[in-house]
Amino acid sequence: QVQLVESGGGLVQAGGSLRLSCTASGGTFSRYAMGWFRQAPGKEREFVAAFNWGGGPTGGSPTYYTDSVKGRFTISRDNAKNLVHLQMNSLKPEDTAVYYCTQYHGQTYFSSPELWGQGTQVTVSP
């Protein structure tokens, strides 16, 4: 049974950066689309970023971002290390949320998220 584990969350001031990581224990996710969602207090979980399976060992496949993070966040992967990253720059207080790594059911992000990690808290202070 594959389990996703996130790390890298924390407290940062507005304008700062954090890098989230996701690893898969008990398997690999190199043949699936992967993504990040987030959930702020009192709000529904929302899509943040994703990439399709394919490309080279460190990416090259199509990536997708929600409008509010375009130009600030970058999703990437390292298949050899079984890692998915979310580099978050120019953070804003509205980015405060629990961030979840997800493995999609298929090879593109047009399929449904299937596996979820436990989440990592990101808090951005004004």
Side-chain angles (χ1 to χ4, degrees):
Q1 179 73 23
V2 176
Q3 291 185 322
L4 304 179
V5 180
E6 303 97 334
S7 62
L11 173 64
V12 64
Q13 288 187 330
S17 298
L18 283 174
R19 188 191 195 203
L20 305 184
S21 297
C22 173
T23 189
S25 62
T28 66
F29 44 64
S30 60
R31 293 186 176 273
Y32 296 96
M34 297 293 297
W36 290 90
F37 280 66
R38 66 186 180 187
Q39 187 167 19
K43 295 187 177 181
E44 293 187 354
R45 191 172 297 188
E46 66 171 356
F47 169 79
V48 176
F51 60 76
N52 293 347
W53 176 75
T58 56
S61 56
T63 55
Y64 307 90
Y65 299 91
T66 191
D67 286 346
S68 63
V69 309
K70 285 180 181 177
R72 300 189 298 123
F73 290 12
T74 303
I75 189 170
S76 63
R77 74 173 192 260
D78 187 333
N79 285 346
K81 297 181 179 179
N82 216 30
L83 287 169
V84 174
H85 300 293
L86 183 68
Q87 178 66 43
M88 305 185 295
N89 299 327
S90 302
L91 283 162
K92 305 175 181 179
E94 51 263 43
D95 294 318
T96 294
V98 177
Y99 283 71
Y100 297 91
C101 176
T102 185
Q103 177 180 291
Y104 285 74
H105 177 73
Q107 296 181 355
T108 76
Y109 106 117
F110 299 104
S111 62
S112 300
E114 186 174 58
L115 292 179
W116 297 90
Q118 83 288 352
T120 185
Q121 177 70 47
V122 171
T123 303
V124 184
S125 62

